[in-house]
Amino acid sequence: MENVHLAVEEEDLYSGYNDYNPTFDSEELENDAGFQQAVRTSHGRRPPMTAKFPGTAIGGRPLVSSFGSRIPMASSMGRPMTGTVQEGAARPMTAVRAAGYSSSLMRGSTFDPLGQSKGPAPPLEAKNEDTAEEKIKILEKKVNDLIEESCMAQSIGAFQLALEKAKEAGRKERALIRQREASGNTEHINLDLTYSGEVIKQGSNMTTVAASISTQLHRQYEQRKTVLLNLANQYANNEMYPEALNSYHVIVKNKMFTNAGRLKVNMANIYFEQKNYPKAIKFYRMALDQISNVHKELRIKIMQNIGVVFVRLGQYSDAITSFEHIMTESPNIKTGFNLILCYYAVGDRERMKKAFQKLISVPLGIDDEDKYIPASDDPSSNMVTEAIKNDKLHQMERDLKVLAEKYIMTAAKLIAPAIETSFASGFDWCVDMVKCSQYVELANDLEINKAITYLRQKDFNQAVETLKTFEKKDSRVKSAAATNLSFLYFLEKDYDQADRYADLAMNADRYNPAALINKGNTLFVKKDYEKAAEFYKEALRNDSSCTEALFNLGLSYERLNRLEEGLDCFLKLHSILRSSAEVMYQLAHLYEQLGDPQQAIEWLMQVISATPTDPHVLAKLGKLHDDEGDKSQAFQYYSESFRYFPSNIDVIEWLGAYYIETQFCEKAIQYFERATLIQPNYVKWQLIVASCYRRSGNYQKALETYKEIHRRFPENVECLRFLVRLSTDMGLKEVQEYATKLKKVEKMKELREQRVKSGRENSARGRREGSTGSAGEYSGRSSSSSSKGERLSAKMRSLPGSNEPYEASSPKELDASYVDPLGPQMDRPKTGAKKPADDDDFADEDLGDELLPE
């Protein structure tokens, strides 16, 4: 700087930068209170825009030295804040060279380092969407979007919508092909060119142009394959199997589609659904041949499908070959179970045993449950354990274990009667095998199933003995066995034993809802509804989804006449079991008791929608409509009930009475004749049949019916009265015979009534007086002799006198009146009554000549 001489008229703009300023002394920054305050706060983070410092130009740009060198700066922590620089302090440089600054610009020109004085920048070039490339890209995006929408619709079960989207994607894809062809671009779909591009792509000396063409063609071809594959899948989901097969054939026949052989599995599945099993096996085997051994799991699944198809064809030996290969290469629970089924079908006992042993030895790949139990007091590890206890992976493990236990239990119940001479010994063998496996806890369940098998064979004693062996085992099994025993005794109506074992089950496991329900049931049959309701409530507290407890609780409230609470129970149960006819019927019954027949009818209509052939529900609907005065609807429901169950006496009686009321007695006869078949010893129905014949004008048939009734019931007074009346009206000679019989029957009836009456009086007198000593005997003898004398004198008085002719005593007047069991007959309107001839008003008058005919 000493050797540089500036013009006199110019101002030294760079003077003062080499002077030492104590402000930049970093060694004393720790003792600088202002600097420490700025560091601790936001005071010095950004300098104000209006601050001016020495060495700063008018535009605010710091200047550089004449040599362009930068003055050394302190560290970021030690840099002085611009807001604290005092007047006269020099500012350090922040740039190596000035950006767009020259000293000449300071004289008469505006400082414009960014060139803003040149005006605004030209606008961006508008995107031209009319070009062929842009149209192709738009169509490609539409195709991809439609494929995604189709897949999303399939995932939510909307198969019809998914198919429509797939078809639309196919149409757009064909339009895309036409657009490429019309553009004249060499990148349009051309199978030969695409194949060539694939070959170039695989070569070692691939040029840039060939790689670009090959990549684009491959992308276009993969899109074509995706559209066809999605369309085929949606056809299959909608059970449009011919269309799906056609789409799959288009893909499979094209050699350029990679991994097209796997689609033959889909085609085989369609043939399986169509029950075309030979073709299904053919395509499964073709897929198996085209899949390499690297894909081991896929090959195993295809072989499993082949075995299932052989089972459907009844070719169990071929199915056994497939399943045995799978159990050797990659054993799994489902294949092991299918292998047991095949051995059971061919009746091979020894192989059934071996297959069962393989089944229970299949590794599930599930970790021990102990890892889900908190093992330490570390809160973080306990939180992790709680997080993974109910995650999806643990749920999948539980589902897999439940499935395995289900297959093992089913296989044991299936082969137990077949592998030994008796099913009991077969169950014992299965239990021994299970105890030696990883499914030890299933042994007790198998024992309980053994008892249930005894029940199915009606061997209750053996079932009870088997269940009683669990009384000394652990609480869970003991509670289950005691619950089953309680239920058995309840079915046998041994309510005391049922109550005892229900208590035993509750003591073993108080949280067992089935045990609480059994206890409540024993109290229910003893009509202790309050206590029964308490046990049902406790069962619901232990298991809120226990529908049996809720149903029985509603019945208990109904017996206690707490109809509103019972209605609430059944409404809750209906929200759980939407299609339960029993629940809806109970709701209808409660509404009927509450005096709301319309609601009862609505619920019964829902019952009919669930069980349209229930005759009792139809009869109930008929009764409700009859009570409401709607005879036509009542007749319809009663007729439907009679059609499904023609032996209901109440329905038969209502239908017969309906036809009699509507004056169609001949139609009522068929219903009452059926009633006579159901209750042949009930004379009422036969009398009604005869009365229907009489009312319909068929007197001869009515007379024959009455005679048949008299033959079967000779002491029936009403039948004899009808016979007397009919014989009199028809002028038959049997009138006197029936009259005599009627008189005898009435006399016998009168004597019988007197005997019953006197017997009642004597028994009452005997209870009042009692028998005491000889005085009683003497009085008895005297009364006996006196009664004998009275009878003799009466007999003498009945004889005729000596001067009177001998004749029979005057007969009692015969009572031939009768009461029609169908009620009084309606009087016929007299519309054509004819006057007697002697009642002529013109009898005493002479007719004039003018009234005579000419």
Side-chain angles (χ1 to χ4, degrees):
M1 294 294 292
E2 294 176 355
N3 298 323
V4 175
H5 300 279
L6 301 175
V8 178
E9 64 270 16
E10 283 193 22
E11 184 182 0
D12 188 5
L13 298 176
Y14 301 98
S15 62
Y17 277 96
N18 293 329
D19 297 337
Y20 176 77
N21 193 335
T23 306
F24 300 104
D25 189 3
S26 60
E27 296 178 356
E28 298 295 325
L29 289 177
E30 294 181 359
N31 300 324
D32 191 347
F35 178 76
Q36 294 298 330
Q37 177 67 19
V39 169
R40 285 194 298 271
T41 64
S42 61
H43 176 66
R45 294 184 182 177
R46 185 177 295 274
M49 298 301 293
T50 59
K52 293 184 180 180
F53 306 99
T56 304
I58 298 174
R61 182 70 186 174
L63 305 179
V64 297
S65 64
S66 59
F67 293 103
S69 62
R70 173 182 286 180
I71 298 175
M73 299 290 295
S75 64
S76 60
M77 291 297 294
R79 179 181 177 183
M81 299 296 105
T82 57
T84 62
V85 177
Q86 299 178 0
E87 189 69 21
R91 182 181 181 188
M93 301 308 298
T94 57
V96 177
R97 61 185 178 87
Y101 174 79
S102 64
S103 60
S104 60
L105 294 175
M106 297 298 296
R107 304 185 191 94
S109 63
T110 306
F111 179 71
D112 188 15
L114 300 179
Q116 297 179 1
S117 60
K118 297 178 181 180
L124 297 175
E125 184 178 354
K127 187 177 181 180
N128 188 6
E129 297 183 356
D130 294 334
T131 62
E133 291 79 3
E134 291 299 328
K135 290 182 179 180
I136 289 173
K137 288 181 180 179
I138 292 173
L139 280 175
E140 284 182 352
K141 187 177 184 305
K142 288 182 179 180
V143 170
N144 291 330
D145 291 341
L146 286 170
I147 292 174
E148 291 179 4
E149 292 175 5
S150 176
C151 295
M152 293 300 296
Q154 177 189 352
S155 65
I156 62 175
F159 298 128
Q160 186 63 36
L161 178 61
L163 178 60
E164 292 175 1
K165 295 291 183 182
K167 289 181 178 179
E168 182 66 21
R171 289 192 289 268
K172 295 289 185 184
E173 197 268 340
R174 288 191 292 272
L176 177 61
I177 294 175
R178 290 194 297 268
Q179 183 70 27
R180 287 197 181 107
E181 293 175 350
S183 65
N185 196 339
T186 56
E187 298 175 3
H188 64 79
I189 294 295
N190 188 327
L191 297 182
D192 298 333
L193 185 57
T194 304
Y195 183 72
S196 302
E198 290 291 332
V199 174
I200 295 172
K201 184 178 178 181
Q202 296 173 4
S204 58
N205 299 323
M206 181 175 59
T207 63
T208 306
V209 177
S212 175
I213 295 174
S214 174
T215 303
Q216 293 179 9
L217 290 176
H218 182 69
R219 177 172 55 83
Q220 296 166 7
Y221 213 64
E222 286 298 324
Q223 186 182 44
R224 173 66 173 164
K225 175 183 175 182
T226 305
V227 171
L228 287 174
L229 179 59
N230 180 59
L231 182 60
N233 289 336
Q234 302 312 326
Y235 277 135
N237 291 332
N238 286 273
E239 298 182 359
M240 301 171 66
Y241 297 130
E243 293 84 352
L245 289 173
N246 291 336
S247 300
Y248 282 129
H249 275 298
V250 172
I251 303 174
V252 171
K253 288 180 179 179
N254 195 339
K255 301 300 182 182
M256 295 312 303
F257 286 140
T258 58
N259 299 323
R262 296 187 181 185
L263 298 182
K264 293 183 179 178
V265 178
N266 295 9
M267 300 173 71
N269 292 338
I270 293 177
Y271 285 124
F272 182 83
E273 292 293 333
Q274 292 179 332
K275 297 184 179 180
N276 191 352
Y277 300 127
K279 267 201 169 183
I281 292 176
K282 175 184 175 182
F283 275 83
Y284 279 134
R285 286 178 171 170
M286 290 170 65
L288 195 64
D289 294 338
Q290 295 182 11
I291 296 174
S292 63
N293 294 329
V294 177
H295 305 286
K296 182 178 178 181
E297 293 184 3
L298 182 58
R299 290 177 61 86
I300 290 295
K301 290 180 180 179
I302 294 174
M303 291 190 68
Q304 187 172 347
N305 289 356
I306 292 174
V308 172
V309 177
F310 277 129
V311 171
R312 292 294 182 91
L313 289 172
Q315 301 177 13
Y316 299 111
S317 58
D318 296 329
I320 288 171
T321 303
S322 298
F323 292 143
E324 284 181 344
H325 177 75
I326 296 172
M327 292 300 290
T328 304
E329 296 293 329
S330 177
N332 60 80
I333 290 291
K334 187 176 292 186
T335 304
F337 181 72
N338 289 338
L339 184 59
I340 291 176
L341 293 180
C342 292
Y343 285 140
Y344 180 82
V346 298
D348 195 334
R349 294 186 177 183
E350 293 302 322
R351 286 190 173 184
M352 273 190 274
K353 290 183 177 181
K354 292 180 180 179
F356 186 77
Q357 291 174 348
K358 287 183 180 179
L359 178 65
I360 60 178
S361 63
V362 172
L364 295 180
I366 297 176
D367 293 334
D368 193 5
E369 290 288 333
D370 295 338
K371 76 173 184 179
Y372 299 107
I373 301 174
S376 63
D377 296 333
D378 185 9
S380 60
S381 64
N382 291 342
M383 289 179 62
V384 172
T385 303
E386 288 295 328
I388 67 175
K389 185 181 293 184
N390 294 316
D391 62 352
K392 291 185 177 181
L393 179 60
H394 190 206
Q395 183 64 39
M396 185 187 71
E397 291 177 350
R398 284 199 296 260
D399 294 341
L400 181 59
K401 187 175 181 181
V402 169
L403 182 64
E405 291 177 352
K406 176 186 175 183
Y407 281 140
I408 292 171
M409 291 289 294
T410 306
K413 289 187 288 186
L414 177 68
I415 68 173
I419 58 177
E420 299 291 344
T421 55
S422 64
F423 86 93
S425 57
F427 261 108
D428 294 338
W429 182 87
C430 292
V431 169
D432 294 338
M433 292 296 105
V434 169
K435 285 181 179 178
C436 300
S437 69
Q438 56 183 328
Y439 305 98
V440 182
E441 63 275 7
L442 288 181
N444 293 324
D445 295 334
L446 281 174
E447 289 282 355
I448 293 178
N449 273 282
K450 178 182 176 182
I452 295 174
T453 307
Y454 277 124
L455 285 178
R456 290 197 180 99
Q457 295 181 354
K458 308 297 182 182
D459 194 347
F460 293 98
N461 295 328
Q462 285 292 335
V464 171
E465 291 298 326
T466 304
L467 291 173
K468 284 182 178 179
T469 59
F470 291 95
E471 294 185 8
K472 296 182 180 180
K473 295 191 177 182
D474 62 320
S475 59
R476 185 186 68 85
V477 181
K478 181 179 180 180
S479 178
T483 302
N484 289 334
L485 282 170
S486 176
F487 180 69
L488 284 177
Y489 284 120
F490 187 85
L491 292 179
E492 293 180 346
K493 298 184 179 180
D494 190 351
Y495 300 124
D496 295 332
Q497 287 291 333
D499 187 47
R500 172 176 171 269
Y501 279 100
D503 291 334
L504 184 63
M506 287 192 303
N507 293 333
D509 184 7
R510 186 71 184 186
Y511 297 99
N512 184 0
L516 294 167
I517 292 173
N518 286 344
K519 179 66 177 178
N521 291 344
T522 57
L523 294 171
F524 188 92
V525 296
K526 294 177 182 177
K527 298 183 179 180
D528 192 353
Y529 303 121
E530 287 285 355
K531 288 186 178 179
E534 292 299 325
F535 281 103
Y536 296 143
K537 289 179 183 178
E538 186 176 355
L540 284 172
R541 286 194 294 270
N542 294 337
D543 184 6
S544 59
S545 63
C546 185
T547 55
E548 296 86 354
L550 193 56
F551 188 91
N552 293 347
L553 182 61
L555 292 180
S556 300
Y557 283 142
E558 183 183 350
R559 297 294 192 280
L560 292 169
N561 203 25
R562 293 155 64 176
L563 302 180
E564 292 291 344
E565 296 179 38
L567 189 64
D568 291 339
C569 290
F570 285 113
L571 286 173
K572 291 178 183 177
L573 191 58
H574 177 66
S575 63
I576 301 172
L577 306 174
R578 303 294 298 179
S579 59
S580 175
E582 293 84 358
V583 176
M584 291 186 284
Y585 184 83
Q586 291 297 329
L587 285 168
H589 183 60
L590 285 170
Y591 275 117
E592 182 185 6
Q593 289 182 318
L594 289 170
D596 193 350
Q598 291 300 324
Q599 281 288 339
I601 290 173
E602 289 183 9
W603 281 106
L604 287 176
M605 292 299 294
Q606 294 190 35
V607 177
I608 288 300
S609 65
T611 56
T613 60
D614 192 329
H616 299 289
V617 177
L618 291 166
K620 189 74 172 179
L621 271 171
K623 180 180 179 301
L624 288 174
H625 282 292
D626 187 25
D627 295 340
E628 291 293 304
D630 192 350
K631 294 287 185 181
S632 60
Q633 283 291 335
F635 173 72
Q636 177 184 352
Y637 287 117
Y638 273 122
S639 299
E640 286 294 308
S641 176
F642 177 78
R643 185 164 67 91
Y644 291 118
F645 183 57
S647 300
N648 191 334
I649 290 294
D650 296 333
V651 175
I652 291 172
E653 185 176 7
W654 192 93
L655 288 171
Y658 174 81
Y659 279 117
I660 290 173
E661 184 180 351
T662 54
Q663 301 298 315
F664 291 102
C665 297
E666 56 276 1
K667 290 188 177 181
I669 292 173
Q670 59 175 335
Y671 294 103
F672 291 117
E673 284 181 344
R674 184 172 291 275
T676 60
L677 295 176
I678 299 171
Q679 295 178 344
N681 296 324
Y682 196 45
V683 71
K684 171 186 174 181
W685 309 123
Q686 302 183 36
L687 289 173
I688 293 177
V689 170
S691 182
C692 287
Y693 280 125
R694 183 175 54 80
R695 283 200 174 191
S696 60
N698 194 348
Y699 297 107
Q700 186 62 36
K701 190 67 176 177
L703 181 63
E704 293 176 2
T705 306
Y706 281 126
K707 287 181 179 181
E708 180 64 24
I709 296 172
H710 176 64
R711 186 184 65 80
R712 296 187 58 191
F713 304 97
E715 296 183 0
N716 189 272
V717 177
E718 285 114 1
C719 178
L720 285 170
R721 287 176 180 172
F722 281 122
L723 282 172
V724 171
R725 178 62 182 271
L726 274 177
S727 300
T728 303
D729 293 344
M730 298 174 68
L732 300 177
K733 58 183 179 180
E734 293 94 344
V735 176
Q736 189 62 34
E737 177 185 354
Y738 292 131
T740 306
K741 289 182 180 180
L742 177 61
K743 182 179 178 181
K744 289 181 179 180
V745 169
E746 286 181 342
K747 191 172 183 180
M748 290 174 59
K749 184 178 180 181
E750 184 179 354
L751 291 175
R752 192 179 298 114
E753 290 175 355
Q754 289 179 358
R755 191 179 300 114
V756 171
K757 184 178 180 181
S758 62
R760 291 175 181 172
E761 292 176 355
N762 290 336
S763 62
R765 191 184 303 114
R767 283 194 300 270
R768 287 195 304 268
E769 296 178 357
S771 56
T772 55
S774 58
E777 294 176 1
Y778 178 75
S779 63
R781 286 195 299 270
S782 61
S783 63
S784 176
S785 60
S786 61
S787 62
K788 188 183 295 183
E790 290 176 358
R791 286 198 298 272
L792 288 173
S793 61
K795 192 173 182 178
M796 290 296 293
R797 285 196 300 271
S798 65
L799 294 175
S802 58
N803 55 351
E804 295 176 0
Y806 183 82
E807 59 183 9
S809 58
S810 58
K812 186 178 178 182
E813 185 177 356
L814 183 65
D815 184 14
S817 62
Y818 67 97
V819 179
D820 196 339
L822 302 182
Q825 191 170 3
M826 294 180 62
D827 295 333
R828 182 178 177 183
K830 299 179 180 181
T831 56
K834 184 179 180 181
K835 291 186 178 181
D838 57 355
D839 233 1
D840 193 358
D841 295 337
F842 300 97
D844 297 333
E845 296 182 5
D846 295 333
L847 296 177
D849 295 338
E850 66 276 5
L851 297 177
L852 295 176
E854 294 180 359

